[in-house]
Amino acid sequence: MTEMPSPTPSPAPEADWLRLDRQICFSLHAASRAFNGVYRVVLGDLGLTYPQYLVMLVLWERDDLSVKKLGEHLRLDSGTLSPLVKRLEGAGLVRRERSARDERSVRVRLTGEGAALRERAVEVPRRIAAATGFGLAEIGELRERLDRLTTALDAAVLEETRGH
């Protein structure tokens, strides 16, 4: 006897889409908060907050950047970024200097202590990955999907602002 295929589930009524547990934005928000909690514990050993860690990641890749360029990499405005950089400077990890070519531009450079901190930070990604319970391939796939999502949302915002 052949089995009948199960019926395709009907789409949820429109009102169900307004439930909190159906919102992708809330799922992303909850995941982000959970990540921040794990990072708080892991980065405590380095004396960094999560936003400071992001600044250091960029500087470990490309030292000696203007605050503007640093902000572009991190998707942060200078009003948010400047206090982070000042705290990192106070901790002796970076140095801020006015550009000799353009007095309006402030450049950020790692100090020796900031560069050396990279060696202690190499365990952070492994510890974070372990906390997710995902394999490296799953993490890579998720990151790629989130990057595509970010690109699509940036394009949607641009389109919306043009339309209004």
Side-chain angles (χ1 to χ4, degrees), residues 81-98:
L81 186 56
S82 291
L84 289 172
V85 173
K86 284 180 184 177
R87 283 193 294 277
L88 289 169
E89 185 177 42
L93 300 174
V94 303
R95 186 174 49 252
R96 292 178 305 141
E97 298 172 354
R98 290 243 170 243

Side-chain angles (χ1 to χ4, degrees), residues 56 60-61 113-123:
M56 295 302 291
W60 288 328
E61 284 181 47
E113 187 179 342
L117 185 62
R118 186 179 191 282
E119 293 307 311
R120 291 182 42 216
V122 296
E123 287 296 308

Side-chain angles (χ1 to χ4, degrees), residues 104-154:
R104 298 170 296 176
S105 178
V106 174
R107 306 216 39 100
V108 182
R109 292 186 174 99
L110 290 168
T111 62
E113 187 179 342
L117 185 62
R118 186 179 191 282
E119 293 307 311
R120 291 182 42 216
V122 296
E123 287 296 308
V124 171
R126 183 192 59 74
R127 291 176 68 188
I128 296 299
T132 68
F134 289 179
L136 292 178
E138 288 175 294
I139 290 171
E141 181 182 302
L142 178 59
R143 187 192 42 77
E144 287 173 11
R145 293 182 105 178
L146 289 171
D147 288 348
R148 284 197 332 258
L149 176 63
T150 300
T151 299
L153 292 174
D154 284 345

Side-chain angles (χ1 to χ4, degrees), residues 14-101:
E14 208 166 297
D16 284 350
W17 287 104
L18 292 179
R19 290 173 42 108
L20 181 63
D21 63 355
R22 297 257 181 163
Q23 305 303 307
I24 188 172
C25 58
F26 183 72
S27 293
L28 289 168
H29 172 73
S32 178
R33 289 183 55 86
F35 259 112
N36 285 340
V38 173
Y39 272 105
R40 189 175 311 111
V41 172
V42 172
L43 294 174
D45 296 343
L46 301 177
L48 295 174
T49 64
Y50 176 69
Q52 291 170 340
Y53 175 67
L54 296 179
V55 170
M56 295 302 291
L57 286 173
V58 173
L59 292 173
W60 288 328
E61 284 181 47
R62 298 179 176 96
D63 194 10
D64 191 12
L65 288 174
S66 68
V67 170
K68 181 179 178 182
K69 276 289 182 204
L70 191 55
E72 288 171 7
H73 285 286
L74 296 170
R75 299 175 65 110
L76 293 174
D77 61 54
S78 64
T80 302
L81 186 56
S82 291
L84 289 172
V85 173
K86 284 180 184 177
R87 283 193 294 277
L88 289 169
E89 185 177 42
L93 300 174
V94 303
R95 186 174 49 252
R96 292 178 305 141
E97 298 172 354
R98 290 243 170 243
S99 170
R101 283 185 252 152

